[in-house]
Amino acid sequence: MGDVVVPEVLLSSGERMPLISMGCAASPPPPLDVLTSIFLEAIEAGYRHFDTAAMYGNEEALGRAVAEALDRRLVKSRNQIFITTKLWCTDAHPGLVLPALKNSLQRLGLEYVDLYLIHWPVRLKEGTEGFDFKGKVLPFDIKGTWEAMEECSKLGLAKSIGVSNFGTKKLSDLLLHATIPPAVNQVEMNVAWQQEKLIRYCKEKGIQVSAWSPLGANGAAWGTLAVMESPVVKEIAIARGKTVAQVALRWIYEQGACVIVKSFNKERMKENLQILEWELSQEDSDKIKLQIPQKRGSPVDIFISEDGPYKSLDELWDGDA
């Protein structure tokens, strides 16, 4: 069993969240039994936070892995595993939020999730399948949808609630209406897309940031080599005797964000946890901040259309495209 103990952060909800998470997204996803084994290996390696979503199609495999880990005493109780899942855009209608969470819980085989996120600030027509969203993106009811998220929290079905891919303007709009503020905002963040303005805003508002694509989604169709092939990060990695990935992940960790790492390779799983016992120097941090060109890796233009609520990437990303 992994002897790595990942530090936790206290969320505004009063719950504690491990600051390194195992990302569960995979396209196409491996078979159910293979995925279950991979998630069990991650638990054995020391991962205690798993980040899934209704859209990923792997909640069932994760639920099975948690159940088996409990049976095998890899963990002593359910509260030692932190599970994040997300509301997909087709269910981002006020009346569909609670049923969607109940469906996720059924697939996971759990009584509650630790964190439930609105996956995107986007509402799609019910029943929309695939990724051709032309004519199917509806105005997002931020107030009504968040009230339904708050109901999930009040019922104890989600210990914390939050959002994903929200810019500063959307967060500001949400905070105007919220009785329970979002505990987390999960966004693309890495050394090549550092999100300084958004990180600063979230800190001011007591919203914990989680970073997806911490290595630039190297290998994904939309991914970028800007992190893994960065000369700046490579130079630091050689000087420190670390891998490029470890330096990139450590930088995110030092910004106070939760790092969502994803590797289904057993050795790399372990390597990605080995970022806790050392630090970047001030010189390293300055080089990363000042010398790496900044560009969003995933524009997500599938939500943009002339007849939809988001007519430009600037509107989707609140001017931070």
Side-chain angles (χ1 to χ4, degrees):
M1 195 185 307
D3 53 4
V4 177
V5 178
V6 176
E8 298 175 329
V9 64
L10 182 65
L11 301 175
S12 62
S13 59
E15 302 294 329
R16 304 191 75 86
M17 179 175 84
L19 279 165
I20 302 177
S21 174
M22 173 77 171
C24 299
S27 183
L32 182 68
D33 57 336
V34 174
L35 258 182
T36 302
S37 297
I38 288 167
F39 295 149
L40 270 167
E41 284 179 353
I43 292 170
E44 286 181 306
Y47 288 88
R48 293 295 179 266
H49 180 179
F50 289 82
D51 182 85
T52 186
M55 185 62 189
Y56 299 166
N58 56 26
E59 290 171 317
E60 186 182 346
L62 180 56
R64 286 187 184 188
V66 171
E68 193 171 327
L70 286 164
D71 285 346
R72 287 167 50 186
R73 306 294 288 165
L74 297 176
V75 289
K76 290 176 183 170
S77 63
R78 159 71 181 92
N79 64 12
Q80 290 185 323
I81 299 271
F82 190 103
I83 303 291
T84 299
T85 194
K86 307 180 195 80
L87 174 81
W88 184 239
C89 307
T90 47
D91 291 317
H93 304 248
L96 298 182
V97 174
L98 182 56
L101 175 54
K102 287 180 175 176
N103 287 337
S104 280
L105 289 171
Q106 191 173 6
R107 288 188 292 268
L108 286 160
L110 300 175
E111 293 180 0
Y112 67 89
V113 291
D114 298 276
L115 178 62
Y116 196 41
L117 304 177
I118 298 175
H119 206 148
W120 288 93
V122 172
R123 175 164 60 146
L124 292 172
K125 285 182 179 172
E126 281 183 63
T128 298
E129 294 182 1
F131 289 94
D132 179 8
F133 300 148
K134 192 164 175 58
K136 296 172 183 173
V137 182
L138 306 173
F140 184 61
D141 178 1
I142 197 164
K143 184 172 183 286
T145 305
W146 189 251
E147 282 174 357
M149 293 287 288
E150 291 179 332
E151 184 64 17
C152 295
S153 170
K154 289 169 186 168
L155 289 170
L157 301 178
K159 294 208 166 185
S160 302
I161 52 175
V163 295
S164 183
N165 302 304
F166 273 51
T168 50
K169 183 179 182 302
K170 291 179 187 65
L171 286 172
S172 172
D173 289 348
L174 175 52
L175 289 169
L176 284 175
H177 304 299
T179 306
I180 302 170
V184 169
N185 184 23
Q186 186 182 122
V187 296
E188 180 184 358
M189 178 189 174
N190 53 58
V191 295
W193 187 242
Q194 296 178 17
Q195 295 270 37
E196 273 188 70
K197 177 185 162 191
L198 183 59
I199 305 301
R200 192 164 55 244
Y201 179 88
C202 287
K203 276 183 181 167
E204 286 169 6
K205 301 297 181 185
I207 301 169
Q208 173 64 35
V209 170
S210 290
W212 61 263
S213 188
L215 302 178
N218 183 25
W222 52 268
T224 168
L225 294 172
V227 177
M228 297 303 286
E229 294 295 328
S230 164
V232 174
V233 181
K234 281 184 173 180
E235 182 188 331
I236 295 169
I238 290 166
R240 298 232 150 236
K242 304 295 179 187
T243 67
V244 169
Q246 286 170 334
V247 170
L249 297 174
R250 177 70 199 186
W251 178 84
I252 293 171
Y253 178 78
E254 290 188 9
Q255 309 314 301
C258 171
V259 189
I260 303 170
V261 296
K262 197 203 87 180
S263 176
F264 290 171
N265 173 290
K266 198 170 183 178
E267 289 312 306
R268 282 201 294 273
M269 267 186 208
K270 292 175 183 173
E271 274 183 14
N272 289 342
L273 284 173
Q274 290 163 9
I275 62 170
L276 301 169
E277 303 296 320
W278 55 281
E279 296 178 356
L280 294 168
S281 68
Q282 187 59 52
E283 186 184 359
D284 293 338
S285 299
D286 289 346
K287 281 181 183 173
I288 289 170
K289 183 177 178 180
L290 300 172
Q291 295 181 16
I292 299 179
Q294 295 297 296
K295 189 183 177 198
R296 186 182 293 280
S298 174
V300 198
D301 47 11
I302 51 174
F303 297 131
I304 309 303
S305 66
E306 287 180 13
D307 58 353
Y310 297 126
K311 294 173 177 54
S312 68
L313 285 170
D314 256 9
E315 287 182 8
L316 177 64
W317 295 121
D318 294 345
D320 289 330

